[in-house]
Structure formats: structure tokens, C-alpha cells
Amino acid sequence: MELVKPTTDKFTIAAALQEIGSLLELKSGEYFKARAYKAGARAIAELTEDIGKLIKQNRLTFVKGIGFAIAKQIQEVYATGESPLLKELRSELPPGILELANVPGLNLKKIDQLHKALGISSIPELKAACEAGKVRQVKGFGARSEQKILEALASPVNRKPRLHLHHALRISERIIEFLSTAPGFVRAEAAGALRRRQETVSEIVVVAGGQRPAALVDRFSRFPLILRVEERSSRQLVAILTEEIKAALLAVQPEDFALALWRATGSEAHLRKLDLIAAKKRLKITLRGIEGLRRKGSKTKPVRPKAEPEIYARLNLQFVPPELREDEGEVEAALKGTLPDDLIKTEDIRGMVHCHTTYSDGKHSVEEMVHAAEQMGMKYITITDHSPTAFYAGGVKIDRLQRQWEEIDRVQEQSKIKILKGTESDIIADGSLDYPDWILEQFDVIVASIHSRYKMNEDQMTRRIVTAMRQPVFKIWGHALGRLLERRPPFACRVEEILDVIAESRAAIEVNGDPYRLDMEPRWLRAARKRRIKFVISVDAHSTGALHNLKYGVAMARRGWVRRGEVLNTQGVKAFQKAVRPV
Ligand SMILES: [Zn+2]
Ligand SMILES: [Zn+2]
């Protein structure tokens, strides 16, 4: 057991609470007590206030999720570096129990027997003992149970949940914050598919640079959300976090950071192409640096790039941003120098598009949404509540619409940013839009979306959308293909044909930033770009917090190679209003 120094560090305290929770659960099945400690661990890990201050002012129990018993343990850890309860639990239970309890078929009693008979306190020890045929000799075990343990250890975890982008990003940020207090820490960044901003990821990869990589690995091994460690070396640690989320840390010296990050970001296909280009130039990119190969087979001293752009520059390529590294033509474009260098950025956006309020199914009032958008530096906001057909989402009937407009006028008087009156009008099954034309024509902006009858066949759906698009008031195509990530696929329709129709109009395609939608997807954005179709990047916000969906919409647009000039809500309010005005 290690001695923990007295600390003001919230993560050490959270780790102690998490371990208490897990041990309590194993010890006596005290499920609710265990859960309370785990909830306490989460609450502490997510604290934004200084924990020392909370303790001094006796305000710990004011934090949601922390009761008196847990507060007492927190104070102990804070003052002495140890929790008496944790100490007691550890001494009562066999060592390695948290790791071993994850093996199917092992419970506390059996783990205790294995420990007493064979001194087993880890998975590798258990595996070795099974292979040597020793486990079958322990009371309560036999050849069959030994075989079963071996099978369980060999089979990879077959449940592979995919995480939504926003969730994965949040966890990676917490890992990085946690690592940043390790001795010698210099920097860390999420890599892999997450850095490429794929809609969902199967694992979180973080690359960290520090004077002592082993200290970073050690630090990560105590991340409070870790359920079990799958692989560990002095440079790397792969762990399963709560909710079966896989997270890997790769720790390197600070001077190796850029190359390690680049490799860990991928994609495999993108890296392979770059390796080929390097080989043609008689260069080799290794984790030690970029080496020149001499004729006789000897190598030049490796040059370590300080940052990723140096890698691309050395190969005479334009820099390829991470979101584009999918081997979808970006390497060829970078070779020719035709990669867009003005890809859309979050800072370019000047107006919040597609916001709901309490008038339909939003959580916040017009005033609250407007205020929050203003705080984020926006110059305008479009209020687009649901139309009457979306009755389940409290679609706004005409009389209430009038009240909303009056309210908007009132809020506008005190607001510095322009509020545009809009609707998210349903595209009805026959392709017409909700609300009569004389109403539609009075909106500043209409987002037209499908919310029902998803299961039409390809012909019907294509006709429905094309019919909707041919109406002059159709200016923004909302969450185009109706997908819900991991839950509902895009609906069947002939996308290319529809893009041809929209290209003939002045309508734009929405890039929906709701992390459960992220619609339309990057490959279709590229197809739309080829037709010179414009975009709006929207938040589809149902609360003020969801205005931050903007960054996910921007990430999708970047993956679709969308440039600043192709996004309507980068424009000032006058130009935007003119571009989307229904008539
Ligand atoms: Zn919608
Ligand atoms: Zn919406």
C-alpha cells in the first residue's frame, strides 16, 4: 500500500471515495451506500470550486451528492492524506480484489480462497496459476472452473459501446485535467478518432508529454473513474472506465510529443499515405523523429518536429488539420496545395441558428436564450420553435405565435443582439410546410425539417423533400436526413438527386450541432460543396447550455471541408437576413 501525502488535490480525494464505494459494494453488497460514495467521487472530481476553501468554510455538504458521512471522509483525506474507512476496508479484503472481481465467476469468497491458498492478488497471477493447473486444487474450484476462468481471461470484452463526441470530449478533458497535476507534466491532448472529431468513438486516447512519462502513467492509474486496468507499461496504460468506456494513455518525453500525437491521431490510411510520400523522399518517420536514409543504408540523425505542421512541411505538403485526416483526398490535395486554408472555425460564427424556447419544447425563455447567445459573443439569434404539426413537442399555434412575437419585440428593446423571428416548420408527408403561406412569409427565417413518417420508401421520401424544396419559402433544410446517432439511421432517399434540386435554389443546408444528430454527415457536405450549396451551422438548442453545440456543428463542417465563406451565419445580420428571408 502506498502512502499518500496530505493533499489539497480533489482527484486524490475522489479516487479514495471511488475505491471506498467499490470495496463496500464487494464487501457486503451495500449497494446504496456504495453508490453514495461513487456519486460523491464524481461530485468531487467535477468540483469547480477549490476544495480547501469548501472544507475551511464548512460547506462540503452544500455540494450536491455529498452527505455528512462522505464529508467526514473527505476532511480526513484532506487533513491526513488517508481515509480511515478506506484503510479498514483494504485490510479486511484480499489485495487485488477490485481487479479480480471483474473476472466472471469470481466473488469475494472465491477470491479470498485463491488469495489464502495461492497468494493470488492480480489477473496475471490468476492466469499463471490457472495455466499451471494450481487453481483446480483449491477448495471450491475444479478443472472446469479453472478452464472457465481461462476462457474469460482470453475473451476480449465483447460489449463495445460507442461514445458520442460530446461525452468522449468531456471525459478526455477530465483525464487531461487530472494528468496536469502529475510531476513533470508539460502537455496533453486527446488523439485518435476523437481528435478527428468522428461522431462517435469506441475509445478515448490521450497523448501526454512530461519529463517523467512513467509518472504520468502512474497518475492516470489513479483516475477516479477507472474500473480496471487492462494493460500497463512504463509508457502506456489502457483502462476501462465506468460505463465500460475504454481509455488509453500514451506518455512520452515532451520533445516526442508532436510525433506521438500525430501517430496516435491517425487515421491509419492517412498515416500510410504519408509514410509512402516520406519513403519516396528517402525519409522515414519514426517515433524518434524524421530520418533521412543514405544510399548505403545508414541514416541521418533523426530530426524531431516541435509541432505537427513541421511534419507536413518536411514532406512538402500543406498542413492537414486533424478533422480531415481520413484519406478522403486530403493528402492528394495537400500535395497539390489545393486544400482549403480557410476552413470554418467556431470563432467565425456570428449568429446562433435554430433555437427553441419554452414556447415549444425548449427549457429556457426567449430572454434567457438571447442573453446566453449574447454572452457567447453572437451578433444575432434565430428563435425557431416547432410548428403546430409537431404537437408532441408543443408546436406553436398561430395565437401563441403572436404572443411570442410580442415577447420577442419586448426582449429586443433591451437586447444588444438582433433577434430573428423564425420557426422550425415541419415538412409534412406530402411535402408541404406547416403554417399557411401568409404566416410563413412573415417569418425572418424558416428551418424546414422532417419530424414524422420516417419510414417512407426511397421514392416517396425523395418526392416529399423535393416538393418541399421547390417552394420559394424553403431556405434552410434542417437536420437533413433525420438520423439519431446509434439509434436511428438516416432515412431512405436519393441524396444526390435532392442535392441537385437544392443547388438550383437559394436554399442552404443545415449542419446540425446537436451531438445526437450531427446531420448531415461530412461525406454529404462534401457532395453539397461540389454543387456550390451554402450551409448554416446550427445548434438546435433546447436550452442555453446547448448553445455550446456550436462547436460540434463546426467540427462536422470542417470534416466536410466547409470553408468560412460557404457558411451563411458567418455573415453579419443584414446579409444573413437577406440570404434566408422566406420571400
Ligand atoms: Zn427538429
Ligand atoms: Zn429543432
Side-chain angles (χ1 to χ4, degrees):
M1 201 189 304
E2 288 166 272
L3 245 163
V4 193
K5 281 197 219 87
T7 178
T8 56
D9 167 15
K10 65 177 182 178
F11 287 114
T12 308
I13 295 169
L17 297 179
Q18 175 80 20
E19 192 177 341
I20 291 173
S22 304
L23 291 176
L24 275 175
E25 197 173 344
L26 284 167
K27 185 189 160 200
S28 49
E30 282 192 78
Y31 178 71
F32 288 102
K33 207 166 154 191
R35 217 171 62 160
Y37 273 92
K38 288 180 181 175
R42 256 198 316 277
I44 292 295
E46 280 169 1
L47 271 185
T48 48
E49 230 180 312
D50 178 54
I51 188 152
K53 213 164 126 196
L54 278 177
I55 291 173
K56 275 188 209 105
Q57 298 173 351
N58 220 354
R59 286 193 294 123
L60 270 180
T61 50
F62 293 5
V63 178
K64 193 169 166 268
I66 296 181
F68 286 104
I70 296 178
K72 190 166 162 264
Q73 296 302 321
I74 294 172
Q75 282 160 348
E76 292 273 8
V77 182
Y78 184 79
T80 67
E82 281 185 356
S83 150
L85 175 60
L86 178 56
K87 234 171 135 180
E88 185 191 316
L89 285 166
R90 278 177 176 166
S91 69
E92 282 171 25
L93 295 164
I97 174 112
L98 287 178
E99 193 181 334
L100 292 166
N102 287 303
V103 179
L106 291 190
N107 55 23
L108 174 59
K109 195 173 153 216
K110 290 192 166 170
I111 293 168
D112 201 34
Q113 281 166 331
L114 287 173
H115 181 65
K116 285 198 176 111
L118 303 169
I120 289 171
S121 63
S122 71
I123 298 269
E125 284 168 10
L126 173 66
K127 194 164 174 236
C130 286
E131 282 162 354
K134 286 183 190 159
V135 168
R136 67 179 72 179
Q137 291 157 20
V138 178
K139 189 167 168 269
F141 290 85
R144 251 194 79 208
S145 49
E146 191 178 77
Q147 189 54 36
K148 275 201 169 151
I149 292 173
L150 275 176
E151 279 163 19
L153 292 179
S155 79
V157 187
N158 45 19
R159 264 196 307 149
K160 277 222 180 91
R162 291 193 70 89
L163 279 176
H164 290 87
L165 176 59
H166 66 306
H167 191 185
L169 269 176
R170 203 157 50 221
I171 295 171
S172 75
E173 282 157 12
R174 282 167 66 182
I175 293 174
I176 291 167
E177 189 196 350
F178 182 69
L179 288 173
S180 68
T181 55
F185 171 90
V186 176
R187 58 186 302 198
E189 208 172 310
L194 179 55
R195 184 159 178 248
R196 303 200 309 276
R197 297 293 187 262
Q198 293 213 344
E199 296 95 325
T200 61
V201 301
S202 61
E203 61 174 342
I204 294 164
V205 180
V206 171
V207 178
Q211 311 305 343
R212 285 171 43 223
L216 297 172
V217 170
D218 196 51
R219 182 89 182 126
F220 182 48
S221 72
R222 284 174 232 176
F223 186 59
L225 302 184
I226 289 183
L227 281 183
R228 59 181 186 274
V229 171
E230 295 225 309
E231 267 177 65
R232 184 177 180 161
S233 69
S234 62
R235 291 293 172 120
Q236 214 168 322
L237 190 137
V238 182
I240 303 297
L241 311 182
T242 49
E243 299 166 70
E244 292 294 312
I245 295 161
K246 190 170 181 176
L249 172 73
L250 180 63
V252 296
Q253 296 284 346
E255 59 270 26
D256 295 331
F257 183 82
L259 264 177
L261 178 67
W262 175 72
R263 276 277 173 216
T265 298
S267 65
E268 280 305 316
H270 175 86
L271 297 178
R272 213 176 307 126
K273 278 215 171 134
L274 261 67
D275 283 335
L276 281 174
I277 292 172
K280 278 197 197 132
K281 296 182 185 303
R282 303 195 59 77
L283 294 170
K284 194 170 165 49
I285 313 171
T286 70
L287 285 179
R288 286 175 302 145
I290 304 175
E291 300 166 4
L293 302 170
R294 293 212 184 92
R295 292 252 171 250
K296 287 170 227 149
S298 67
K299 292 175 195 154
T300 61
K301 198 165 168 280
V303 179
R304 283 199 178 89
K306 284 193 192 64
E308 278 184 335
E310 286 176 36
I311 304 172
Y312 291 86
R314 187 75 185 82
L315 302 178
N316 288 331
L317 293 171
Q318 274 180 292
F319 175 66
V320 181
E323 299 94 329
L324 271 58
R325 299 181 196 164
E326 301 290 351
D327 187 25
E328 280 164 343
E330 78 280 6
V331 179
E332 292 74 7
L335 262 175
K336 280 191 269 174
T338 56
L339 208 60
D341 57 4
D342 55 354
L343 288 179
I344 183 76
K345 292 196 286 286
T346 307
E347 312 85 85
D348 298 331
I349 304 290
R350 296 166 78 182
M352 273 307 171
V353 176
H354 195 158
C355 300
H356 296 271
T357 72
T358 45
Y359 274 86
S360 65
D361 56 352
K363 262 197 237 152
H364 293 110
S365 66
V366 172
E367 191 179 355
E368 287 166 320
M369 295 299 278
V370 170
H371 183 70
E374 190 182 321
Q375 293 283 302
M376 287 174 72
M378 293 294 135
K379 299 279 179 251
Y380 52 98
I381 181 173
T382 78
I383 301 294
T384 54
D385 275 305
H386 288 286
S387 62
T389 307
F391 58 89
Y392 51 87
V396 186
K397 298 210 181 89
I398 294 176
D399 55 327
R400 289 192 69 233
L401 186 66
Q402 191 182 338
R403 262 193 287 151
Q404 186 183 40
W405 286 8
E406 285 161 8
E407 186 170 329
I408 289 177
D409 290 340
R410 270 201 308 279
V411 176
Q412 182 67 78
E413 280 170 24
Q414 286 123 44
S415 164
K416 285 196 210 78
I417 70 174
K418 176 74 183 166
I419 312 167
L420 300 178
K421 295 169 183 150
T423 177
E424 181 177 13
S425 174
D426 266 43
I427 300 175
I428 300 167
D430 64 2
S432 59
L433 296 183
D434 212 358
Y435 289 122
D437 280 348
W438 63 273
I439 294 276
L440 286 173
E441 287 163 7
Q442 294 184 53
F443 284 109
D444 292 320
V445 51
I446 300 169
V447 177
S449 323
I450 288 181
H451 291 113
S452 59
R453 303 278 308 274
Y454 295 99
K455 286 186 181 140
M456 292 179 157
N457 68 32
E458 199 180 64
D459 282 333
Q460 293 168 324
M461 192 55 104
T462 305
R463 206 175 321 131
R464 176 182 182 181
I465 298 169
V466 166
T467 305
M469 277 174 182
R470 293 224 159 104
Q471 299 165 72
V473 296
F474 188 101
K475 290 294 178 331
I476 300 175
W477 188 17
H479 47 73
L481 299 180
R483 71 168 174 175
L484 287 179
L485 293 165
E486 302 288 287
R487 271 180 47 208
R488 186 173 70 208
F491 42 64
C493 62
R494 291 188 292 278
V495 182
E496 301 265 357
E497 190 180 318
I498 295 170
L499 291 179
D500 286 339
V501 174
I502 197 170
E504 287 163 20
S505 73
R506 276 177 45 230
I509 293 175
E510 175 189 86
V511 185
N512 189 296
D514 177 340
Y516 296 97
R517 290 189 181 273
L518 301 178
D519 196 0
M520 47 181 17
E521 56 194 291
R523 64 184 170 126
W524 292 128
L525 297 179
R526 281 200 295 275
R529 282 193 67 231
K530 282 196 191 125
R531 294 165 169 85
R532 300 176 177 276
I533 297 167
K534 294 281 198 279
F535 307 95
V536 296
I537 297 182
S538 90
V539 285
D540 201 349
H542 290 75
S543 66
T544 52
L547 294 176
H548 294 279
N549 287 348
L550 187 62
K551 55 180 177 291
Y552 311 123
V554 169
M556 281 314 107
R558 288 173 65 86
R559 289 184 52 215
W561 298 30
V562 173
R563 304 166 68 166
R564 189 197 309 136
E566 295 166 339
V567 179
L568 296 180
N569 52 330
T570 59
Q571 302 176 349
V573 64
K574 289 256 157 60
F576 175 79
Q577 228 177 326
K578 196 170 159 223
V580 301
R581 194 170 11 234
V583 283

